[in-house]
Amino acid sequence: MLGIETSCDETAAAVVLRTGPQQGKILSNIVRAQLDDHAAYGGVVPEIAARAHVEVLDVLVAQALSETGLSWDELDGIAATAGPGLLGGVLVGLMTAKAIASARGLPFVAVNHLEAHALTPGLTDGLAPPYLLLLVSGGHTQLLIVHDLGAYERLGTTLDDALGEAFDKTAKLLGLPYPGGPEVEKCAADGDPSRFDLPRPLMGREAPDFSFAGLKTALRRQAEQHSPLSNQDVADLCASFQQAVGDVIVDRTATAINLFEKRVASMKDRNLVVAGGVAANQALRARLAQLCEKKNFVFHVPPASLCTDNGAMVAWAGAERLSRGLTDGFEFPARARWPLDPDAAPKIGAGVKA
Ligand code: KG4
Ligand code: ZN
């Protein structure tokens, strides 16, 4: 299965061989990040992203196939992210996939980007549903029960910014480069996490939702009060921010674990998976690992290259769907919004990323 990913600022193509349930092999996995294209703007510019996908995608697809030594006729299907994401970029990947599938007479699978993240532990850890998933990236912040392929129960989501976005905005505010997550983590290592008193939004609430807008505003106020900032001030602000985020993540995930225990009957299934770019953060991982130990859960983090956006997760999700006979027609549209659980009641305040 060939998988194509173009929903944000990574152009990616990969070939994955599915050998059975929760069994797959990555034959090639090529990701081209567009960091330099967007760095000057301090964030992803949709129009620039779409044009960059157009420029490199056909070369990446050819490379992904040639690395496997397979011919087009040996593939069993073509999958592409059809949403949610930036429409211009999604269209580039989707049209490319449809064109290949049409020209080669191969099945086409439209993949939900969130489902691709959600199913990754099947490929990386051989993990079968049900499991609890914390998805934290630049575009998404959700807690989900993965009951089965196509059966997702969203327990909580962000009501405003995604967590990666909050890291990126914090970095920008403090004069650190984009993408901000790794920079904030690096600076935080030299900082005092208790120096600045920052809020822990929604902590203790019954539903495991998130909110980061207030935290960002509080941080801006502290930064303005202490301006001009010394290197130590920046480090202390980063450490205090990461500490507040950690407290929130642990509290919200603990709440979701309690819900998972109520809703999933079989108590042998006690697995928490964290995925998305923010899962690369070692401090947050350590705190989640501690939580899992306390709650008697097994903690899974896919390797960083498969936590962030990539084509292998799209190919794997496509292969899983194809194995159940789930393919799509060429009329399948690109979707800016595409919730994993369309039947759930809409959340008041939840942004387009929900
Ligand atoms: O999953 P991803 O590559 O793309 C999206 O789908 O958004 O996630 C990128 C996000 C960025 O916001 C980036 O700042 C954040 O993940 N990130 C981190 C770290 N590494 C990447 N956030 C916190 N700590 C990190 N070490
Ligand atoms: Zn993603």
Side-chain angles (χ1 to χ4, degrees):
M1 175 69 68
L2 174 77
I4 294 176
E5 161 60 39
T6 55
S7 66
C8 191
D9 60 342
E10 270 97 10
T11 318
V15 177
V16 169
L17 174 67
R18 182 183 183 277
T19 50
Q22 280 75 53
Q23 272 175 33
K25 196 164 171 235
I26 299 174
L27 302 183
S28 66
N29 188 23
I30 300 170
V31 181
R32 184 195 174 274
Q34 304 175 355
L35 294 181
D36 294 346
D37 304 335
H38 301 287
Y41 305 94
V44 177
V45 184
E47 180 64 24
I48 293 178
R51 286 170 190 271
H53 291 308
V54 171
E55 274 171 27
V56 299
L57 184 57
D58 53 352
V59 176
L60 289 198
V61 167
Q63 199 183 336
L65 186 66
S66 82
E67 277 188 14
T68 66
L70 298 173
S71 69
W72 287 109
D73 298 330
E74 288 172 285
L75 293 179
D76 59 355
I78 311 288
T81 295
L86 303 171
L87 269 187
V90 171
L91 275 169
V92 174
L94 197 59
M95 293 311 292
T96 304
K98 288 176 182 176
I100 297 170
S102 164
R104 298 284 164 179
L106 291 167
F108 163 70
V109 188
V111 168
N112 181 315
H113 180 88
L114 301 171
E115 177 167 71
H117 277 301
L119 297 179
T120 298
L123 174 64
T124 57
D125 294 35
L127 188 63
Y131 49 85
L132 180 63
L133 175 74
L134 170 64
L135 182 55
V136 275
S137 74
H140 345 283
T141 301
Q142 307 194 348
L143 278 158
L144 296 159
I145 300 178
V146 177
H147 287 286
D148 193 5
L149 175 79
Y152 309 95
E153 183 179 352
R154 195 176 68 195
L155 301 176
T157 186
T158 181
L159 304 182
D160 39 59
D161 292 348
L163 182 53
E165 196 180 0
F167 268 96
D168 294 336
K169 287 180 177 170
T170 294
K172 194 173 177 181
L173 188 85
L174 299 176
L176 301 170
Y178 175 83
E183 299 293 329
V184 170
E185 181 176 18
K186 225 184 293 164
C187 283
D190 301 320
D192 172 4
S194 59
R195 174 160 164 216
F196 293 101
D197 186 19
L198 296 172
R200 270 74 172 152
L202 302 189
M203 219 164 109
R205 291 282 184 93
E206 205 175 316
D209 292 320
F210 301 88
S211 165
F212 297 107
L215 175 56
K216 183 187 64 195
T217 308
L219 185 122
R220 177 183 297 127
R221 221 174 287 127
Q222 295 274 17
E224 282 166 3
Q225 273 170 20
H226 292 80
S227 172
L229 299 174
S230 67
N231 287 346
Q232 193 57 53
D233 292 334
V234 171
D236 292 345
L237 280 164
C238 287
S240 301
F241 170 80
Q242 201 169 262
Q243 182 70 26
V245 164
D247 288 351
V248 169
I249 292 287
V250 166
D251 175 81
R252 311 289 55 214
T253 307
T255 305
I257 283 178
N258 295 341
L259 288 173
F260 181 91
E261 284 175 335
K262 282 192 198 130
R263 297 194 192 168
V264 174
S266 159
M267 290 316 272
K268 74 175 169 36
D269 297 306
R270 301 173 69 87
N271 294 293
L272 171 71
V273 178
V274 60
V278 184
N281 187 294
Q282 298 290 344
L284 294 181
R285 275 190 201 200
R287 298 204 51 187
L288 285 167
Q290 261 173 13
L291 173 69
C292 282
E293 206 169 314
K294 199 169 116 195
K295 295 277 193 182
N296 197 19
F297 262 60
V298 182
F299 184 46
H300 302 263
V301 194
S305 63
L306 297 172
C307 270
T308 55
D309 291 350
N310 64 86
M313 69 178 190
V314 177
W316 173 248
E320 287 279 89
R321 294 187 75 80
L322 182 64
S323 76
R324 300 207 190 175
L326 301 169
T327 60
D328 297 287
F330 293 142
E331 75 290 350
F332 199 99
R335 294 183 173 173
R337 290 195 68 166
W338 187 0
L340 275 180
D341 55 348
D343 299 335
K347 278 261 179 241
I348 294 167
V352 288
K353 289 138 195 153

